[in-house]
Amino acid sequence: MAPPHRSGFVALVGRPNVGKSTLLNRLVAQIVFVDTPGLHPGSGRLGQLMSRTAERAVEDVDLVCFVAEATEDPARLDREALDRLKTSRAPVFCCLNKTDLVSPKARLLPLIAAYRVAHPFAEIVPISAERGERCQELLDLIVAALPERPAYFPPDTLTDQPETFWVAEAIREKIFRLTHQEVPYACAVRVEELTERRRPECLYIRAVIFVERESQRGIVIGKGAAMLKRIGSSARTDLERFFGIKVFLELTVRVRSEWRKDDKALREFGFLMTS
């Protein structure tokens, strides 16, 4: 007899930069993963919207994976983020990511103990999403926790998001990784053109990076446009791997003052639905 097929929705939640998207890329399977904005106090219109998005995700899924850093201080857990998990009717896993930065591994024991006291997690799994350590074990636990039901999507479907979404996310990721300043949180990316060209054969992508202040524009561009070239080159490498074709990526940077407080801009950049 064939084993029962399991499928369901799994929310990945946690503070910004704990490695949620890296883990998502490592785990992609016939499970609908919902990657969420970082759990943090929402300030401004965008911050409030992102906070509500993460909170709704916790309420509407079959399983929640709370992602935290394995390097954090056991005495300083994010109590506010943990309190938000109380609204979940689904089981919650604690995924302690970035264990490759912890040596010896025995240093994890006080943190694991602290999380066991802080919340009734169904599982606590130390992992390294970057290196793939114990990620298969986590995936097996996730599958076992999901209900028996048919697949939601065909087996070769990785996402329901359009190609332009992944292009914008790839560019924003490089801004986060390369600028290391307040700039990433004030950046939005709009893809204005994505077309296949025959001569030369390539995927032509034209995108605009929006920031809120002229000083941020200078940081993203960099001296002699060096930073913008690094962002574009790094994003292009990932996009060529994703699309399987040579990519020509054209980036420009514009200032749109306080766009995070503007409903029209949030709708234009895809953060707010029109309906």
Side-chain angles (χ1 to χ4, degrees):
M1 179 181 295
H5 187 282
R6 298 179 184 271
S7 61
F9 287 78
V10 180
L12 300 179
V13 302
R15 287 180 296 184
N17 302 320
V18 295
K20 297 187 298 297
S21 295
T22 304
L23 178 59
L24 172 63
N25 293 336
R26 178 70 65 176
L27 294 180
V28 165
Q30 184 46 272
I31 302 169
V32 184
F33 285 100
V34 182
D35 195 9
T36 67
L39 283 176
H40 56 84
S43 60
R45 190 73 178 90
L46 178 59
Q48 294 167 5
L49 175 66
M50 294 172 71
S51 181
R52 286 202 305 271
T53 299
E55 289 170 358
R56 284 198 301 268
V58 169
E59 297 170 358
D60 297 336
V61 295
D62 299 297
L63 177 69
V64 175
C65 286
F66 176 74
V67 186
E69 290 188 310
T71 56
E72 67 181 312
D73 184 346
R76 302 182 64 183
L77 303 186
D78 190 339
R79 300 293 173 179
E80 184 171 348
L82 289 167
D83 283 344
R84 298 187 185 192
L85 298 176
K86 294 178 181 178
T87 62
S88 175
R89 295 186 295 270
V92 183
F93 288 3
C94 179
C95 307
L96 297 179
N97 192 25
K98 305 184 183 179
T99 56
D100 51 297
L101 302 180
V102 179
S103 181
K105 292 297 187 280
R107 289 176 54 197
L108 290 169
L109 296 178
L111 183 60
I112 293 172
Y115 271 115
R116 288 199 188 282
V117 172
H119 187 86
F121 290 105
E123 300 283 353
I124 299 180
V125 189
I127 60 169
S128 170
E130 184 73 25
R131 296 186 179 179
E133 295 171 2
R134 299 192 70 182
C135 287
Q136 184 59 52
E137 177 184 340
L138 173 61
L139 185 57
D140 291 342
L141 290 169
I142 290 172
V143 172
L146 295 179
E148 296 181 14
R149 62 162 73 104
Y152 285 97
F153 301 100
D156 59 346
T157 300
L158 294 182
T159 179
D160 61 351
Q161 296 293 335
E163 293 175 334
T164 51
F165 170 85
W166 290 104
V167 171
E169 285 299 288
I171 296 167
R172 287 185 70 243
E173 182 204 7
K174 302 312 173 187
I175 297 171
F176 268 83
R177 289 183 180 273
L178 296 174
T179 60
H180 303 296
Q181 300 183 52
E182 66 175 37
V183 174
Y185 299 99
C187 282
V189 178
R190 184 175 68 199
V191 178
E192 302 200 328
E193 184 177 353
L194 192 156
T195 56
E196 288 192 43
R197 292 184 173 181
R198 295 184 178 274
R199 297 182 181 178
E201 185 176 358
C202 69
L203 188 65
Y204 174 76
I205 300 171
R206 180 164 53 87
V208 179
I209 301 170
F210 289 91
V211 294
E212 292 188 316
R213 297 194 297 272
E214 191 64 40
S215 60
Q216 295 167 343
R217 181 175 181 271
I219 292 170
V220 174
I221 293 176
K223 186 175 181 180
M227 178 56 73
L228 189 61
K229 289 176 182 176
R230 287 183 65 195
I231 292 168
S233 177
S234 187
R236 185 175 64 250
T237 299
D238 285 358
L239 291 170
E240 288 180 341
R241 188 182 304 116
F242 180 81
F243 289 111
I245 187 174
K246 183 177 178 60
V247 169
F248 181 87
L249 178 60
E250 179 182 329
L251 295 177
T252 55
V253 186
R254 299 177 191 168
V255 176
R256 185 148 176 180
S257 180
E258 297 189 333
W259 66 262
R260 288 179 291 179
K261 300 179 181 179
D262 183 351
D263 279 359
K264 180 180 178 182
L266 292 173
R267 190 171 293 111
E268 181 182 333
F269 299 152
F271 293 103
L272 273 177
M273 302 303 290
T274 55
S275 58

